[in-house]
Amino acid sequence: LDIYPAAVLAEKQTKRPVPSAEWRELMHKLSEKSCAAYRKIVRGDERFVPYFRSATPELELSELKIGSRPAKRKASGGVESLRAIPWNFAWTQTRLNLPTWLGVGQAVNEMLDSEDAEAFRNMYNEWGSFRTTIDLVEMVLAKSEPVIAKHYDDLLVTDDLAKELGLEIRQIHHDTEQAVLRLANHTELGEDNALLCRVLKVRNPYVDCLNVLQAETLKRLRAVPEGEGDSERKKVLNDALLTTITGIANGMGNTG
C-alpha cells in the first residue's frame, strides 16, 4: 500500500520536461518505422499465422476456457480476430514475448544510423517517459528466452517455411537486444536493474522445466485423434497443460 502513495507523491513533486516539437517529430518517425517492421512480419508474411498457431499454445487456450471471454472475437479468422490478452499471453508462454519488442530494434537502429542520431540520443537521455519505455522493452527482452522458443519450434513446428520464419524472428530478437543496448549504452540487458537480474537467476531454472513440460504436453495433445475429444487421456493432458500455463504465467510475473 505504501508504494502507490509514495509514487504519486514523488511524481507530483517531480518536474518533467515538456516534449518539444523536435521530440514529437522523432517519435512520429520512430512510430512509423516500428509499425512498418511489425506489420511486415505479422500482417505481410504469409508464414506467420501457421507459425504462430503451431509454435504457441494459442489454439489450445480457447479450449481451456481461461478468462471470462473467448480467446477470439469470432471462431474463424487470423491474428486480427484474436483479443489482445490471448495474443500476448500465447507469446509469453513460449518466453518469446514477441508483441512487446517486434519492430523496436529496426526502428531504433534506423534512427541511430540517421542524421537524427544525436537528437534521438538526447531525447532518450533527457525525456524520462521515453527512456522508461525503452527500459521496459529492455526488461522484457531480459525476461525472454529465445532458446526456449526454439525448443517449441523444434518440437511443434513441422512446416519448413514456418521453421524458417521462427529462425528469422529469433535473429530479429537478437538484433533488437543489440539495438536497445546500443541506445542505452549498456553492455548487457538489465545491468542497472540488480533486482530483476537476481530474480531471473532464481526463477529461470524452474520456469525452464515448465516450458519443457508444456511443449511436450502440446505435442501429445495435438497427436490425440479427433475421435478421442472427450477421452480420459485428453482430459489428463489438458489438466497438465493448464498447470504449466499457470506456473509459467506466475513465473514470468506478467500474463500478457
Side-chain angles (χ1 to χ4, degrees), residues 57-234:
E58 182 260 335
L59 292 174
E60 288 76 14
L61 288 175
S62 59
E63 292 187 18
L64 292 174
K65 297 179 176 59
I66 298 174
S68 59
R69 294 183 292 177
K72 289 186 174 184
R73 291 181 173 86
K74 53 184 179 180
S76 59
V79 172
E80 70 279 357
S81 68
L82 282 172
R83 296 185 187 276
I85 291 177
W87 163 244
N88 284 280
F89 190 85
W91 290 110
T92 302
Q93 287 290 301
T94 65
R95 309 271 291 281
L96 196 57
N97 299 304
L98 179 136
T100 305
W101 53 262
L102 184 62
V104 174
Q106 183 173 328
V108 167
N109 272 330
E110 288 185 17
M111 294 297 290
L112 290 175
D113 291 334
S114 71
E115 60 184 12
D116 296 317
E118 183 177 356
F120 187 60
R121 285 192 177 277
N122 288 338
M123 182 174 74
Y124 173 80
N125 292 326
E126 298 173 13
W127 189 13
S129 295
F130 176 60
R131 186 168 61 252
T132 297
T133 300
I134 297 297
D135 290 348
L136 288 171
V137 173
E138 182 178 358
M139 180 268 290
V140 173
L141 288 169
K143 283 186 170 185
S144 303
E145 291 289 344
V147 174
I148 295 293
K150 181 180 182 301
H151 178 68
Y152 280 77
D153 286 11
D154 293 342
L155 214 58
L156 303 173
V157 181
T158 57
D159 182 74
D160 289 338
L161 292 177
K163 283 188 174 183
E164 288 177 5
L165 179 60
L167 181 62
E168 292 170 18
I169 287 175
R170 290 192 296 277
Q171 181 59 50
I172 295 172
H173 182 280
H174 172 75
D175 294 343
T176 302
E177 286 184 351
Q178 298 306 307
V180 169
L181 292 174
R182 181 183 174 194
L183 176 59
N185 283 323
H186 290 169
T187 56
E188 60 182 30
L189 296 171
E191 67 178 41
D192 58 352
N193 191 337
L195 177 60
L196 175 65
C197 293
R198 189 162 62 249
V199 167
L200 292 178
K201 286 181 180 179
V202 173
R203 182 204 72 184
N204 279 356
Y206 298 96
V207 184
D208 291 351
C209 294
L210 289 172
N211 281 116
V212 171
L213 289 170
Q214 183 178 94
E216 180 62 30
T217 303
L218 286 169
K219 181 180 179 181
R220 296 187 185 189
L221 264 173
R222 293 173 184 180
V224 174
E226 290 187 12
E228 296 184 24
D230 295 324
S231 68
E232 185 64 26
R233 176 189 176 194
K234 187 167 184 179

